[in-house]
Amino acid sequence: MQPVVQLGPETLTREDVLAVAREDVTVQVTEAAREAVTTARAHIERLADAETPTYGVSTGFGALAVRHIPPDRRAALQQSLVRSHAAGAGPEVEREVVRALVLLRLKTLASGHTGVRLDTVEAMSAMLNAGITPVVHEYGSLGCSGDLAPLSAAALALTGEGFVRDRSDALVPAAQALADAGIKPVRLAEKEGLALINGTDGMLGMLVLALHDLRYLLDVADLTAAMSVEALLGTDRVFAADLHALRPHPGQGRSAARMVELLRDSEIMASHRGPDCTRVQDAYSLRCSPQVHGAARDTVAYAETVADRELAAAIDNPVVLADGRVESNGNFHGAPIAYVLDFLAIPVADVASIAERRTDRMLDLNRSHGLPPFLAHDPGVDSGHMIAQYTQAAIVSELKRLAVPASVDSIPSSAMQEDHVSMGWSAARKLRKSVDGLRTVLAVELLTAARALDLRAPLKPAPATAAVVAKLRESVPGPGPDRHLAPEIAAAEDLIRTGAL
């Protein structure tokens, strides 16, 4: 049976967001949501008919909130809001991000706290299920008053204006895509334009996607670290559970336990455990891998608590409360999400940095304990993995720059009405680049450690690490004369990206 993500009073899960954003799972508005939406809309229509102005219903917006708008101009007001705010620029944002953004906005619309009409909710749900992806641009959100320009691009498509990508990824006018899907463009009524664009859905969607990817990449980091420790004739005694129990961070304990299991029954490890081994301590990049990876795991766990709280939220301004009041608020400020997006970029850079240091040790004749220089087939003629490490170093340097927080900045806007903003969208965009960079750095360590383990023959690696080397060898040959390395790095990245390790 085709899975369905239900949209109602219940909280969406991170798994729901991933299913819709990446797997095109269908969404369905529940009966409870329909009732809540209908009830809230009745409150808005009552206020629209009242003589007393209500912000967002019968007034202008932002710095123009003091102007009372007559009834015959309110539909134009809402459409003008969406048109003018769809002012993004730069490259198109990725499809999965836009689908997450639309889903999360739809979740809030279905909460019964925004005052939109049921027809609008159903049209947005139909657009998502039809695989219609509004064109959203890289720049335009300051992360306060919501992700205004990105959400406005999505809202504009719902009204039949602007451009979208259809299910086949063709760029087509929104009106054409909606017509082809049998969806009637929405003609916005009071409050609806504001409700469609006043959320933190873009930055939250990118946080959820990044958290999923980082969970797996930290598992990969444990794996590549274990392979490097093994290839460098390091010790696994420092990963013992009783040692890590002395510093009971859960992430650290998990990474150490994983490395113990990955190195279990390794002939290479056993070969230097006897009295002939004179090495007292391994370098920090080997010995302290669980501490670094574990701290990153715990940072991800904290960010997940923030994401889960946000998934339980209904972000809009003003909001419709259960008793019918419509109240202004500041819940659209992206600070809670922006901070963790920035926070995550720090451990991403550090996990990549320690992986690059392990890789460099395997290439250095003076520190690799018997491996050939740069793991070259014929050192001097061949360069081996010398420049692959350069690529790692370049990415790590970039990751350090990306770890500089966006959320400490603020640029006032809207004639000083919006005088402090979160820059959460910017934090999310750079985190996506950071995640991609970490994946590449780990791919290079994977390639290098696998080559080093092959060069330890006839000693055999642990069954777990040997299985990874064998999987890599399905697409990347073993040691030999220099080859074009870029495709091999890409192949290792693909193994990681597809979850094949």
Side-chain angles (χ1 to χ4, degrees), residues 11-14 17 104 107 203-209 211 300-313 336-337 340 344:
T11 300
L12 274 184
T13 66
R14 284 176 272 124
V17 176
L104 292 169
K107 181 267 298 183
M203 61 186 97
L204 176 57
M206 285 186 275
L207 174 60
V208 171
L209 294 168
L211 288 170
V300 167
Y302 167 66
E304 287 173 342
T305 66
V306 174
D308 290 343
R309 291 169 190 157
E310 287 290 317
L311 287 169
I337 311 172
V340 293
L344 287 169

Side-chain angles (χ1 to χ4, degrees), residues 287-309:
R287 193 186 346 156
C288 302
S289 291
Q291 284 78 5
V292 174
H293 297 178
R297 286 183 181 279
D298 291 343
T299 304
V300 167
Y302 167 66
E304 287 173 342
T305 66
V306 174
D308 290 343
R309 291 169 190 157

Side-chain angles (χ1 to χ4, degrees), residues 44-387:
I44 292 297
E45 290 177 353
R46 174 178 53 81
L47 291 170
D49 292 336
E51 292 184 6
T52 304
T54 300
Y55 174 70
V57 178
S58 52
T59 71
F61 311 114
L64 302 176
V66 295
R67 182 183 173 190
H68 183 253
I69 308 299
D72 63 343
R73 297 296 295 154
R74 291 175 189 170
L77 166 71
Q78 300 295 326
Q79 189 68 37
S80 292
L81 174 74
V82 169
R83 286 175 180 149
S84 65
H85 284 45
E92 288 184 37
V93 172
E94 303 85 359
R95 183 178 188 270
E96 66 176 17
V97 172
V98 179
R99 286 186 60 80
L101 174 152
V102 173
L103 170 70
L104 292 169
R105 195 69 222 139
L106 181 58
K107 181 267 298 183
T108 289
L109 297 181
S111 70
H113 289 293
T114 69
V116 298
R117 295 167 300 161
L118 182 57
D119 286 351
T120 302
V121 173
E122 290 178 334
M124 198 169 200
S125 173
M127 184 174 76
L128 192 61
N129 288 339
I132 297 171
T133 306
V135 171
V136 173
H137 295 284
E138 178 92 21
Y139 302 106
S141 174
L142 299 180
C144 198
S145 286
D147 291 317
L148 287 176
L151 283 164
S152 294
L156 192 68
L158 190 65
T159 68
E161 297 186 18
F163 286 86
V164 300
R165 297 278 177 180
D166 65 15
R167 197 181 290 279
S168 68
D169 200 40
L171 182 65
V172 297
Q176 176 187 327
L178 293 177
D180 290 346
I183 302 169
K184 184 179 179 181
V186 172
R187 187 173 185 272
L188 299 173
E190 295 94 345
K191 178 68 170 66
E192 290 194 309
L194 199 57
L196 285 166
I197 70 173
N198 220 331
T200 52
D201 310 287
M203 61 186 97
L204 176 57
M206 285 186 275
L207 174 60
V208 171
L209 294 168
L211 288 170
H212 175 267
D213 293 344
L214 285 173
R215 275 287 180 188
Y216 178 66
L217 287 176
L218 291 174
D219 282 349
V220 174
D222 291 342
L223 167 63
T224 58
M227 293 172 69
S228 295
V229 168
E230 191 175 23
L232 286 164
L233 306 183
T235 179
D236 58 355
R237 292 194 300 274
V238 294
F239 307 139
D242 54 356
L243 296 176
H244 290 274
L246 299 175
R247 195 186 195 190
H249 292 286
Q252 177 180 323
R254 175 169 168 76
S255 284
R258 282 178 47 77
M259 292 181 70
V260 168
E261 287 304 311
L262 288 163
L263 293 170
R264 192 175 300 281
D265 298 327
S266 167
E267 287 186 11
I268 297 174
M269 300 295 292
S271 71
H272 55 91
R273 282 202 176 107
D276 294 338
C277 181
T278 58
R279 294 171 63 188
V280 178
Q281 291 184 332
D282 291 329
Y284 287 7
S285 60
L286 307 181
R287 193 186 346 156
C288 302
S289 291
Q291 284 78 5
V292 174
H293 297 178
R297 286 183 181 279
D298 291 343
T299 304
V300 167
Y302 167 66
E304 287 173 342
T305 66
V306 174
D308 290 343
R309 291 169 190 157
E310 287 290 317
L311 287 169
I315 306 297
D316 193 17
N317 181 52
V319 290
V320 183
L321 299 173
D323 60 6
R325 285 179 296 133
V326 176
E327 297 284 358
S328 291
N329 65 90
N331 285 339
F332 50 72
H333 199 290
I337 311 172
Y339 293 165
V340 293
L341 287 163
D342 277 334
F343 192 2
L344 287 169
I346 295 172
V348 166
D350 202 36
V351 170
S353 179
I354 198 172
E356 181 274 328
R357 290 292 79 205
R358 292 189 298 259
T359 304
D360 183 65
R361 295 188 76 83
M362 289 183 280
L363 304 180
D364 185 351
L365 177 65
N366 297 313
R367 295 180 292 152
S368 67
H369 302 284
L371 293 170
F374 303 106
L375 306 185
H377 178 73
D378 184 1
V381 174
D382 294 319
S383 295
H385 280 205
M386 179 193 294
I387 308 303

Side-chain angles (χ1 to χ4, degrees), residues 430-450:
K430 69 183 182 65
L431 180 60
R432 283 182 68 82
K433 296 175 185 175
S434 296
V435 171
D436 289 342
L438 175 59
R439 186 182 297 110
T440 304
V441 167
L442 294 177
V444 174
E445 184 179 20
L446 173 65
L447 281 175
T448 305

